[in-house]
Amino acid sequence: MAAAMTQSNEEPEPVGPLPPMEGMQFPDTVMFGGFYAPSRIEADVYDLEVEGRIPPELSGAFYRAAADTQYPPRFAHDPYINGDGMIHMVRFENGHADLKTRYVRTQRFQLERRARQALFGAYRNPYTDDPSVAGVDDGNANTSVIWHAGKLLALKEAALPYELDPVTLETRGVYDFAGQIPGRTFCAHPKHDPLTGELIAFAYNASGLPDKQIHIHEISAEGKVTRSQTFEVPYSSMVHDWLVTREHFVFTISPMVADPEQLKREAQYFVWDPGQETYVAVIPREQGVSGIKWFRSEQVMETHSLNAWTDGDTLVADHFLSKSGWFSQFPKTTVGRLPEQPPFLHRWTFDLTKGAAHWDDAIDTYENERLLQPPAEMSRVDPRFLMGRYRHAWFGGVNPDVPMGEFGPMGGTLNALLHRDADTGAMTRWAPGAERAVEEPVFVSKFADADEGEGYLLSLVGRMDLNRHELVILDALDIAAGPIATVKIPFRLRYGFHGTWVPADELTK
């Protein structure tokens, strides 16, 4: 899920599927045209051209997930996020960079490849699928990629993870942690505890259809599920991301709602309902869901989280909030067309002596502060400082002085990288120039015990002017100085979502 900066001009998609098309042709829509059209390229490119010098200590692999639609969709205005999972890897070794791109061979991908056409319909809606795939998992492993317990996992919140070979990107199959994760779903944004090595994850709509349950899974550094628990929310909501401190879980329940009966009549899975309120659930990690406290919020949608920490009875949560739904992907609302609002970085501060045991009794009892004036999204902190106080943060943002280029399939395009120093409030910016779009940055520390923020920032940049991509390497604490090195990719990748870094010593264990 990426930032949605402005209202899409697309008309809502029709309820029924497209009629059969003659030949192989994608719809002429913003989702499937121009720079954002499917790339569908699986390739190996050794010794990519490099401008500058790759730091010698940068040894490992950069991975990133994208939704690269394999066949023309059954719905002309199919959401961009419904594309097939494509993983891009840039392997760094001794100053060299090699590229590998591979589709995730999901069940969905393989069935459609065999049929040479799309068989699965609208996003997450089984009633729009071809009868030949009734009951088949439609997971497409396209949103994020993580490394845990020696395994590389491609994630999509509508399905279970897929395990990949970290060197070849060969698909090893669906991964449910050796049968320890029940249900059909797993989140796209699990959180790693840097102190314990645990992976903390959640799942919603685990039956494959909308429901009011959220499941929390705590997974040891070795990959063993040590606890699973479930709590109920006021309505079935899109819960794309969340916040975790060393003492608490924080969920924002926003009115991007899903109704299992409506799916039989309407193709669109999520619908923005301004008649619903926004709630916040705070759950103590040690006590679990029996200690839940509910708060009310102004009506917002959390797009992505940054970081959070607990200090006694105070919980501080930094995340990106929009005052609208994600209309570029899900345009229908319960009240007709609405303008899409951009996300901004906010800080919520909770007094944990307050809060209600049930959402019906919750009131607005927290502080809300906007931390950053320009719109921003797709953020990172030094992962060694997750779940605790932090100083440095990086995001994709907007440089208003540079032309934005063509309208993107998920809203306005991010065209700058931002660094914020929480101690001083200073913000610096690097913008690659006109007709260039940045993607989510990934932070890599220079060495294991480096100071916070002492490292490199890696980000893919879409060169709309050249119809290709490049990967820039920046000094994380001096991004305004520009790239230390630019790794040139000789073709266009499909604009993607979330990535990670795996050190070389982890890959060879």
Side-chain angles (χ1 to χ4, degrees), residues 322-362:
S322 169
K323 291 188 177 182
S324 77
W326 200 16
F327 301 144
S328 65
Q329 306 301 298
F330 305 105
K332 290 183 180 179
T333 80
T334 58
V335 294
R337 298 285 288 178
L338 292 171
E340 185 169 298
Q341 303 296 322
F344 295 94
L345 178 61
H346 284 253
R347 171 167 290 176
W348 285 355
T349 304
F350 296 89
D351 178 350
L352 297 178
T353 64
K354 301 177 180 179
H358 194 274
W359 62 77
D360 281 343
D361 302 317

Side-chain angles (χ1 to χ4, degrees), residues 111-314:
L111 287 169
E112 293 188 335
R113 172 66 62 91
R114 211 170 295 152
R116 291 181 176 265
Q117 64 176 322
L119 299 173
F120 294 85
Y123 173 82
R124 294 179 80 161
N125 188 336
Y127 303 111
T128 64
D129 294 344
D130 188 89
S132 66
V133 295
V136 177
D137 178 30
D138 70 345
N140 46 19
N142 69 14
T143 308
S144 65
V145 57
I146 65 166
W147 179 258
H148 185 68
K151 297 185 181 298
L152 186 69
L153 304 176
L155 307 181
K156 176 78 172 183
E157 66 198 61
L160 291 170
Y162 271 79
E163 183 185 356
L164 310 175
D165 184 295
V167 176
T168 67
L169 296 185
E170 178 185 353
T171 302
R172 292 177 174 170
V174 175
Y175 188 73
D176 60 2
F177 293 84
Q180 298 176 93
I181 301 292
R184 296 179 60 168
T185 64
F186 190 87
C187 67
H189 289 288
K191 307 299 182 184
H192 277 105
D193 188 324
L195 296 186
T196 66
E198 290 176 284
L199 184 71
I200 318 295
F202 72 94
Y204 73 101
N205 293 181
S207 68
L209 289 172
D211 62 43
K212 297 181 181 180
Q213 293 186 328
I214 293 181
H215 313 273
I216 304 170
H217 306 295
E218 297 167 68
I219 304 164
S220 72
E222 296 74 34
K224 178 178 174 56
V225 176
T226 57
R227 179 166 68 164
S228 292
Q229 49 189 324
T230 301
F231 71 102
E232 190 164 289
V233 296
Y235 49 83
S236 182
S237 166
M238 173 193 280
V239 188
H240 177 66
D241 205 349
W242 63 327
L243 293 135
V244 179
T245 79
R246 296 197 178 99
E247 293 83 17
H248 293 89
F249 309 127
V250 185
F251 290 90
T252 302
I253 309 302
S254 303
M256 283 289 289
V257 304
D259 182 332
E261 290 303 312
Q262 183 170 312
L263 292 183
K264 299 175 183 178
R265 304 184 301 272
E266 301 279 349
Q268 184 173 302
Y269 192 87
F270 291 111
V271 174
W272 181 255
D273 182 0
Q276 295 282 4
E277 297 190 69
T278 297
Y279 299 88
V280 183
V282 179
I283 300 170
R285 280 174 65 169
E286 183 174 348
Q287 182 181 355
V289 296
S290 64
I292 194 169
K293 289 192 173 183
W294 286 95
F295 299 82
R296 286 186 200 268
S297 159
E298 64 174 322
Q299 191 172 80
V300 293
M301 178 182 70
E302 178 187 78
T303 57
H304 286 105
S305 66
L306 178 59
N307 198 18
W309 70 90
T310 308
D311 184 2
D313 288 327
T314 300

Side-chain angles (χ1 to χ4, degrees), residues 203 263 385 472:
L263 292 183
F385 291 81
V472 296

Side-chain angles (χ1 to χ4, degrees), residues 14-34:
V15 174
L18 291 169
M21 289 184 288
E22 292 292 333
M24 178 76 176
Q25 185 177 353
F26 284 90
D28 184 18
T29 68
V30 70
M31 300 290 177
F32 298 100

Side-chain angles (χ1 to χ4, degrees), residues 392 394 419 428 443 451-456 474-480:
H392 299 288
W394 300 269
H419 168 236
T428 54
F443 175 84
D451 291 339
E452 181 189 354
E454 187 179 359
Y456 302 105
L474 303 155
D475 183 326
L477 296 181
D478 189 16
I479 65 171

Side-chain angles (χ1 to χ4, degrees), residues 453-467:
E454 187 179 359
Y456 302 105
L457 205 65
L458 278 60
S459 175
L460 282 164
V461 176
R463 292 292 303 267
M464 299 177 188
D465 54 337
L466 299 176
N467 200 37

